[in-house]
Structure formats: structure tokens, C-alpha cells
Amino acid sequence: MENLCRETWIEVNLDAIENNLRAIRRHIPKKSKIMAVVKANAYGHGSVEVARHTLENGASELAVASLKEAIVLRKAGITEPILVLGFTSVGCVKEAAVWNVELTAFQADWIKEANRILTKEVMTNQLAIHINVDTGMGRIGVRTKEELLASVEALTTSKFLRWSGIYTHFSTADEPDTRLTRLQHNLFISFLRFLERQGFELPTVHMNNTAAAIAFPEFSADMIRLGIGLYGLYPSTHIKQLKLVKLEPVLSLKTRISYVKNMMTGPPSISYGAAYIAKIGEVIATLPIGYADGYSRALSNRGFVLHRGRRVPVVGRVTMDFLMVSLGDGEGKQGDEVVIYGRQNEAEISVDEVAEMLGTINYEVVSTLSRRIPRLFIKNESNH
Ligand SMILES: *Cc1c(COP(=O)(O)O)cnc(C)c1O
């Protein structure tokens, strides 16, 4: 690695993103577009670069969680459609229209107010809106046909708004029991049929996240919203075990040893709480990564990292900026590369394994990686 001043970094393999997009593309119907979900800094991978790369490789639109995230992408020069999946305060509609960002709506009053605000502004851009239908996620969305009709009527009669999509979100598409997903799908379809009977022409219809796109490709409709799969991670063990789509992890987290000491001499305790006492002659290495980087403190005295192709344990408490590992009676030097997540020679520490140890999911492990860690983008085996 040429940059010696980078002590801890994330490598993002853009070729793997391409492979994952291709694998999903082959699995879903030809007519279904792919919306790349790049919220939360592209699940920790770096939103601008991931967005650009997915758009060059088969994704046609983007989704984020908030207007702020969308504006970051616009400021970076991205011109493709961007949908905000979260709730946006109606006071922000002008900003959304100025930046040409599509918003999610599900309340007729919000839609009417948005139109009033934009009318006063005499906008040139119409604000594009996707209606969210809550079929069982219980988060946001219209919950009844009456609410749906009121929203659609408000939208289609608003001069400054454009109805560009309608979607729902599955809550259990990653589980072996398919009943709730089928129920949600049927409910959504019945809402769509209801609108058609009322004489409305449907805009872009979408419902599938990664799990549903893999397990229910037939529900892919006009577009899927691809998040975790883009990053080469499976939404659940169940989905992985279906073996329907081969995904390749995109991210590796690496660091370099800051300091090595032999515990033959000096005080034997390691880190806060002295929760680890080294043996005489044990070799302890200090790594410049801590919980402020997104390496969970819950991995204190539990986690493992890779050094010289071998798994070595985290010893003592993980601190904000450092953690210590034991090299046993092995050798190690200041500056040695250490893999926190990813592969080294034949060894691997997967994000899934770490998530399992933490009692959480891979989504959380990657999306909480701190922005202070530089991202290094790798393409055709070269660095960017
Ligand atoms: C985050 C999110 C997605 C992406 O889900 P994955 O499981 O990561 O594919 C899709 N739709 C909505 C509404 C989301 O919030």
C-alpha cells in the first residue's frame, strides 16, 4: 500500500459491486429496473463512488433515506433520479424540487400543502412523488384504500407535483415462512387494481428489496430496490442458503500495527478495566481502530483479526481509537497489515461472522463504520 500515512482504511471492491449487480440482473425479469439503495453512505461503503459505479453498471436510479443524503449525491454531479425513502418535512419540498430529488409521500394533507408551497415559489421543476403503501411494515405509508385514493387524487390534481411511483416494503421477505410476504404482495396488488378501477394510470411500481428480489423475483414489477445485495451481503442466512444468487463481499476493513510489545517486562494489564492480564512473554500488538470507527466495544475480549494469515484475538476492552490483539508467542512488527473484516491469504473474517457474534445483522456492522475511515476504491485490482 503506497500511502503510509493511512493507518486504518476500508477497501471497496468496485468489481465485486459489478458482479453483484450482474448476478441480480440475471435473476430478475428483464423489464424490471434496478434502483440502487445508497442510504447511510452506501451502507458504509461510500455513497458517491458507489452511486456512480452502480449507475454505470446497470442501476438506473438511486434511493437514500433523507433529502440531505440526496443533495450530497447531486452536489457530486449525479443527475439520475434519486428517491428519498424516508419522511420529509413538508417545509423542505422547495429544496427537494430545486435539487430535483423525488420524495416519498403518504398523506393527502402533506401533498396539498406541498403543492401550495411550490405554487408560491413558482417552480420550474415539478416535484416527483412516490406513494408508499403500508402493507405490513408498520413504518410509514397509506394504510387503507380511502387514504390511498385521497393521496392519489391530491397528487394528480397538484400542478407542481408529479406522480412518479408507488411502492410498498416487505417486513419478512428474508425469512423461510413466506406467508406474510405473500399477504403483503396480495394486499399491494389489490390496492393497485383499485386505483386502476378508479381510472388512474399507474406510475412506476416497486416493492422488492434484496431479499424479495432473490426469493420472489416474480414480484420485481417495474423496479427493485437493491440495498444489501449490492454490497455482496445476504439479507439473512435463509436467503444465502437458497443459493439462488451468488454474491461477493465488497468491503474489507484493514489497519496497520501501531506498536508491538513483549510482555516479558513491565505491567501486564491491558486496556480499561484491566480486563485482560497478559501472560509473561505474550506478544501484544496495538491497532489504531476503536469503537469510534465502528468497531464495536462489545467485541472486547471476544473479537478476532487477521495477522500474517492467522486469526488472533482481541484482548482487553476496545477503546475509542485503539484496540489490542494478542499475537501469542508469534512475531509481529510495527506497520504490519492487519485485516479486521475481509480476507488475508486463506483466512477470512466475514462481516456476517462479526454480526452474529454481536447479536446483530451485517447491515448494522457495515453501516456503522465511521466516516473518519478513508475509503479506498479498487477497480480491476487497482486503487483509486
Ligand atoms: C433500506 C431499504 C431498502 C433496501 O433493503 P435491502 O434489504 O438492503 O435490499 C429497500 N426499500 C426500503 C424502503 C428501504 O428502507
Side-chain angles (χ1 to χ4, degrees), residues 37 39 43 85 139 167 169 209-211 225-229 363:
V37 181
K39 63 194 180 189
Y43 294 40
L85 297 167
R139 206 160 59 173
Y167 72 102
H169 192 49
N209 56 4
T210 301
R225 301 186 304 273
L226 184 65
I228 199 79
Y363 293 73

Side-chain angles (χ1 to χ4, degrees), residues 340-362:
I340 310 285
Y341 307 148
R343 299 181 150 278
Q344 198 179 50
N345 307 335
E346 297 310 303
E348 181 178 15
I349 291 176
S350 68
V351 168
D352 288 348
E353 173 190 341
V354 175
E356 166 122 36
M357 195 179 275
L358 289 169
T360 183
I361 52 176
N362 48 22

